[in-house]
Amino acid sequence: MNLDALNISWLHPGLVLILGAWILPLLRGWARRALMVAIPAVAVVICLGMTKGTYGEVSFLGLEVVFGRVDQLSLIFSYVFSIMALLGMIYALHVEHNSQHVTALIYAGGALGVTFSGDFISLYVFWELMAISSALLVWQSREPGAGRAGFRYLLVHIVGGLILLAGIVLYGSENNNSFAFGNMAALEHTAAWWLILLAFLINAAVPPLGAWLPDAYPEASVTSAVFMTAFTTKSAVYVLIRGFPGTELLVWLGAAMAVYGVVYAVLENDARRLLAYHIISQVGYMVCAVGIGTALALNGAAAHAFAHILYKALLFMGAGAVIQMTGRRKLSEMGGLYKTMPITLTLYMIGAFAISAVPLFSGFVSKSMIVSAAGEQHLMWIFLTLTLASAGTFLHTGLKLPYYMFFGKDSGLQGKEPPTNMLVAMGLAAAACVVIGVVGLFPSLLYKELPYAADYVPYTLHHVTATLGMLAFTALGFFLLLKHLDPEPKISLDTDWFYRRGSAVFVRSFQQPLARFESGYVGKICDFVILQFVLRVAGLLRNFDTRIVDFSVVGLGRLTQALSQILKTTVSGNVQHYALMMVAGVLVLLALAMIVR
Amino acid sequence: MTYPALTVITFLPLLGAAGILLLGRGQRARWVALATTLATLAAMAPLCSGFDKTKSGLQFVDLVQWISMGNVQINYQLGVDGISLPFIVLSGLLTLLCVGASWTAIRTRDREFYAALLLAETAMIGLFAAANFFLFFIFWELMVVPLFLLIGIWGGSNRVYAALKFLLFTLAGSVLMLVGMIALQVATPEAGLNFKQLTGTTLDTTLQIWLFLAFLAAFAVKVPMFPVHTWLPDAHTEAPTAGSVILAGILLKMGAYGFLRVALPVLPEAVQIFLMPMLIISVVAIIYGAYVTLSQTDVKRLIAYSSVSHMGFVTLGIFTLDQRAVEGAILQMINHGIISAALFLCVGMIYERTHTREIKDYGGVAKTAPIYATLLALFCLAAAGFPGLNSFVGEFLIIGGAFKTNPWLGAMAIWGVVLGTTYLLWLYYRMVIGEMNPGLQGLKIELTARETLTLAPLAFLALYLGLHPECVLSYLHIPVSELPNIIATP
């Protein structure tokens, strides 16, 4: 490698995280905890202090590899990734297993690497690093389902990574061996374009390729899941913004994703799985915005990614705290915790308001950018779909989940506030959500940080009233339909039978088949397609190898052996036989000689 | 003072073997073997430092007039160029590591064992250093003897069958190679079977086709290519650890090296004719080998079959005739030598303790043996082609060349990498992660210092070659560009 061009004044924050992680196992006690917080804090400081430019250009195999492409887009993602690494580490301070921290830091470092890579080679390296480290994160959980879930997760990401590799190789050969990573519009609809897009969409958890997300995230441990929500999908959003802005396919995919996530969340009883489906829904907003492609939309995608990482982490932290302190994962087993875990409840609700785009919280600022961009481009169906998904989001994350977790029936669980470090992490994330929401009141402060030039005012009377109206009606609908969203419905016959029946039919019409399809899809079909089918083919080919290919050659040997057994009988040891054979042989030769003559 | 460096390096192990056989009883054999292999490796240092990467042709040539009868002139000639030097160094290194791995594993007839190992080393180095076909053939045949003994005497429960199978397969191919060699000598009497001189001659196309088929028989068995690969799983599985390392690390490369040294330079037209079939067989080997690997329940057999798949990549790269892909294929040969040697060493070390090769008897090793788990993880990831580790570079170059030749080949190669990653990571998962298998309770699985020291150079090389592949690739640019019909990189 030719390191002459390396600008030593720039330090890759991802490298700080990846290398710093390996020092952790060498320390103990408070020194270890201090380092756990210090490493990502150093990364945050580096990111905040970075100046734009291109750094870390290295020549590898005659190809130009750029490790440090620093512009506004990569800066904004780097801020939120490094802050997230810090929050996640604070949240996990109480965990004793070092392997989890090392893996989580490497994972975060990989995400930063993806953010700053200026070419496909470095992108691929960090992409694979993220895949392996996140799979390891799932595997380190003690849950019984973690082993298989982690393996499925790993396979999906390995296949995705190799699709990316195929796309990269094709890209290079179409581009005279230049692997620079930028807007791919010039290569639209070529094989390389499709393959790279497909690989990015797998990581963004676009259905039907996104089944790995709700499958694996609930199996990770409480603290690992917080890390996992942030990096894989949002780095996929980053590379989509970078490489595929304005691709029309993404508009429809994104809108479908937004609704898909919300619809599947209806069926969920496991708290974190519900939240995982909401990740798909929110990423759908971002994907849709990338597809719309206007400056406002791309700003919205970046801003929404920023806000989403923070509030989603907060939601997972809150749900995780409840799971850790009560030992329960399923909503039907929880309830009545508001008495014993009020701080957790409050912080969780801040996250819930943020995801629901309540004014004065971060989600409002970013989501309204996206929805307005859709409106500006006159994509009316998209506008309606995204608004519908917003309602659904508020319904589940803002109302249903906290209701069943903290209110609702008294499950008799004895909750307790989680350890201080977890509360501190949640508090910081909550503060960030509020700060971003309030900063939105001062648009000029906001636009300094966004990558594309646009002017947009989130807090117009129109936006605020529209949002508040939508939220209010959703809340009304929730409380009216409360009994039907209950994870364990109890039916009691009285005068509301008619309208309850009608809505129950509606709910059941998609609940039954979809629920069976969903659990079959994720669990059984993936298992079947990936493992069973491949293993059957492998077994068939092994039998072919043993019984036919090998057998034929070994058969040749056995044939030779059989032949030699027969020929052995001529060697009788009897001299008369030999003399007879010699005379016979001479006679035969004489006869032949005479015939030939 | 100039001395015949290559002759010394080639025959020093033979001297060591003779010395061991003259020793009395006692455990001194392994020390003599250790000293000899260290000395051989040390003697290679001036070779590496004195090698001029910008010169084409052989360097460090040892030439002695040998057979002269009429117009037949065959000399004893050894020499290295950029392609053979990395293999010679690899041979020296792997033999040293074999001595380290067999230190406590071989208890009975250890003198004969180490003597056989050193004889094998002579044969390996001699083969790569041979400058004419005659010596090449001699060392090719010589290689079979010690390995037959290693498998047949110190091997596993089915060793005699495996050793015989190995012997018969290899000899069947070698016989045809002998015929081809004689035909070549008759067709070009003045060349004296010297590789460099043969490269210039143009032979009749029909003759080339027959010669290619004859040599193909020998090389295809050694590589091994589908469908003559079935000796490999049995041989690798039944061999002792050192035997597997030598087999997988060096022996397989001899076949591909034969293609590079004999088939490509001497028979260019035949290569062009057989190009597509060879590419297709390579891809079949990749995919078929990977699928069969997935279904294995014996860990050594699994790694053995994975060699079929990986060597498929190598032959795929060679027959694309694209310079970068050929360089990648040669690099991949070195990488595979390092990685499969490492994997067999890991398996052999744990087998010494558990005496079972069935994967289902393992599980949860990570809890009691973190060093072993980390090293095994490194080698599994390296074998899977994880970027930053050595195999990635080779695979990347080969896949690039494959795509240029035919996009379907590239797609199949990518699928091969997917399967490869799957079976390796699944193996790792079953062996290392998860709950500890009750059968392993009470066993001290963690590696001793000697074992860690044996694996350390391979781990270092896996990382170093992954980040700095130029250190091997720089040797290859000139000799690969001189092969006929190579599509050079612009």
Side-chain angles (χ1 to χ4, degrees), chain B residues 205 208-212 263 267-275:
Chain B
T205 309
Q208 281 195 29
I209 294 178
W210 285 112
L211 284 175
F212 185 85
L267 311 169
E269 266 113 49
V271 167
Q272 290 290 358
I273 294 170
F274 282 101
L275 208 60

Side-chain angles (χ1 to χ4, degrees), chain A residues 4-89:
Chain A
D4 292 347
L6 189 64
N7 192 337
I8 322 165
S9 60
W10 184 76
L11 183 59
H12 199 304
L15 211 60
V16 169
L17 288 177
I18 295 173
L19 294 177
W22 289 102
I23 312 177
L24 271 182
L26 303 170
L27 300 174
R28 305 238 178 286
W30 64 264
R32 184 182 67 99
R33 296 213 184 96
L35 192 66
M36 270 172 73
V37 176
I39 297 173
V42 166
V44 172
V45 166
I46 296 179
C47 290
L48 288 175
M50 240 188 256
T51 50
K52 297 183 199 160
T54 317
Y55 308 92
E57 284 163 295
V58 163
S59 171
F60 184 73
L61 294 180
L63 302 167
E64 198 48 42
V65 176
V66 178
F67 282 103
R69 187 236 311 260
V70 182
D71 59 9
Q72 195 56 48
L73 180 62
S74 50
L75 270 180
I76 196 172
F77 274 90
S78 73
Y79 296 156
V80 70
F81 284 150
S82 49
I83 293 173
M84 186 59 231
L86 181 62
L87 289 177
M89 276 285 126

